[in-house]
Amino acid sequence: MTAVPARTGEYAIEAAGIGKWFGPVRALDGVTVAARPGSVLGLLGHNGAGKTTLINVLATLCRPTEGTARVAGYDVVRQGREVRRRIALTGQFAAVDEQISGRDNLVLVARLRGAGRRAALHRAAELLEMFDLTGAADRPVRGYSGGMRRRLDLAAGMTGRPEVLFLDEPTTGLDPAARLATWAIVEDLVRGGTTVVLTTQYLDEADRLADTIAVLADGRVVATGAPPDLQARVGGRTAPARLPGPAAVRGAARALRTEGLGPEYAPRGGVLDAPLTGPRDLAVVARTLDAQVSGDYELTVTAPTLDDVYLSLIGPAARAAAPAARAEAP
Ligand SMILES: Nc1ncnc2c1ncn2[C@@H]1O[C@H](COP(=O)(O)OP(=O)(O)O)[C@@H](O)[C@H]1O
Ligand SMILES: [Mg+2]
């Protein structure tokens, strides 16, 4: 009997100096990330940044060229079997059988993982309930919406009760309601103790779900931190307002400053832009403008985009490189 090596570490994910070459292409370059059990690590980046490659290394689907990684306490290269027993991976394209029902899909996956028939049926029913698919359970999957397929795919990933769940762009291509439903499910799983590593191109998704965000660009981690730390470096939401003229801009700017908000403004352009840091700041801006401005004005809210993140973290060079990286996407 070969002894299973003991697990180590206080982290569910621990990767150090991961490099990966595909022939002449360096997909990952010295990537170091970590996640504690029961937390969410968000990998944020454009197409081509290296997100899927990193997930594949951590999920033992491809060997790193350099560096070491432990997942659920085991080395991804030397203890791949132990890692695979404790993880699940679901991707952007749901891997479910169209012709059979959602329930049959889940029973099939559970049985492939070695569950007996009764146990598989029981686990399928439990997962259908958990992922809000009970009503559609016995209909063929070909009639499911995109959001329902994604939920079924997630449910299939959870049949083996993984310690670590890898979600590669879990909401890409989903409509807003299905995105919200997916976020709620991820939050539920994390509450239940699962560690989640998810990739995303959406800043709001990383913000909402991740305890730690690693921003990837060209195979490198260009920033790591909790969402508020990154927000402090990148800047948060602002409320730009278009006002009737320079006098209105100056007057409104004065009034906002006395409210403790420090707006930027261009009087000649008729534009004033107030940073929103607290939850009530938008209401303060709206109230102040309403009291100050005679005539029509237009108030909007803008949030930073992934381009803004790259721009503030690595400067204009990254922004210039980004469209080329996007063009490589499948
Ligand atoms: N199997 C492969 N062969 C060659 N190049 C690859 C392969 N997989 C990924 N790449 C390249 O590695 C880089 C990172 O890709 P990927 O990890 O898929 O990024 P992301 O998931 O962030 O879009 C890209 O330049 C991509 O073209
Ligand atoms: Mg990818």
Side-chain angles (χ1 to χ4, degrees):
M1 194 180 104
T2 51
V4 173
R7 1 158 119 220
T8 60
E10 56 186 308
Y11 293 101
I13 304 286
E14 212 176 351
I18 297 290
K20 177 68 189 178
W21 292 85
F22 291 108
V25 176
R26 182 175 221 164
L28 295 175
D29 180 4
V31 169
T32 295
V33 289
R36 291 187 189 281
S39 74
V40 179
L41 172 64
L43 305 173
L44 177 67
H46 277 310
N47 268 326
K51 304 182 298 296
T52 298
T53 306
L54 182 55
I55 290 253
N56 287 345
V57 166
L58 296 174
T60 77
L61 295 177
C62 90
R63 281 175 83 101
T65 319
E66 300 146 7
T68 58
R70 285 184 169 272
V71 169
Y74 295 97
D75 185 282
V76 295
V77 174
R78 287 177 296 119
Q79 299 167 312
R81 260 177 67 100
E82 296 303 325
V83 172
R84 279 188 293 278
R85 286 170 55 172
R86 291 166 175 82
I87 64 170
L89 166 67
T90 79
Q92 182 178 348
F93 303 103
V96 290
D97 186 333
E98 297 269 308
Q99 305 306 322
I100 63 176
S101 71
R103 187 189 310 276
D104 288 346
N105 265 286
L106 295 180
V107 170
L108 189 69
V109 175
R111 301 224 52 186
L112 285 172
R113 289 186 148 268
R117 190 175 152 67
R118 279 176 66 98
L121 277 167
H122 183 252
R123 182 67 178 149
E126 210 171 63
L127 288 165
L128 288 163
E129 180 74 36
M130 185 170 165
F131 289 82
D132 201 18
L133 288 165
T134 304
D138 297 303
R139 298 207 306 264
V141 170
R142 61 175 178 274
Y144 283 22
S145 69
M148 289 162 75
R149 276 164 206 247
R150 206 65 68 87
R151 294 209 299 281
L152 183 62
D153 196 38
L154 275 169
M158 294 307 291
T159 48
R161 295 184 169 76
E163 287 175 37
V164 180
L165 178 64
F166 294 98
L167 303 174
D168 196 3
E169 301 205 20
T171 67
T172 296
L174 292 187
D175 63 50
R179 285 184 83 205
L180 287 175
T182 305
W183 289 355
I185 284 172
V186 172
E187 286 168 341
D188 269 356
L189 294 176
V190 172
R191 260 194 297 277
T194 310
T195 306
V196 172
V197 182
L198 70 89
T199 74
T200 184
Q201 304 192 36
Y202 307 120
L203 197 52
D204 60 338
E205 181 159 297
D207 243 353
R208 159 86 180 251
L209 294 178
D211 297 293
T212 306
I213 299 175
V215 183
L216 284 173
D218 276 336
R220 281 193 297 268
V221 176
V222 294
T224 319
D229 302 340
L230 285 184
Q231 210 179 71
R233 292 174 61 180
V234 172
R237 299 187 312 150
T238 68
R242 182 166 294 284
L243 306 182
V249 171
R250 287 199 197 87
R254 244 189 328 270
L256 284 172
R257 276 200 302 269
T258 60
E259 295 285 347
L261 294 174
E264 290 180 14
Y265 52 98
R268 270 197 288 163
V271 179
L272 175 138
D273 197 2
L276 302 173
T277 49
R280 307 188 79 97
D281 284 357
L282 182 59
V284 172
V285 173
R287 233 184 301 120
T288 307
L289 293 183
D290 236 29
Q292 281 287 320
V293 180
S294 53
D296 288 340
Y297 67 89
E298 195 182 301
L299 176 63
T300 51
V301 175
T302 65
T305 64
L306 185 51
D307 278 325
D308 297 328
V309 172
Y310 280 129
L311 190 65
S312 55
L313 292 175
I314 38 186
R319 197 183 226 183
R326 267 200 295 275
E328 275 174 34

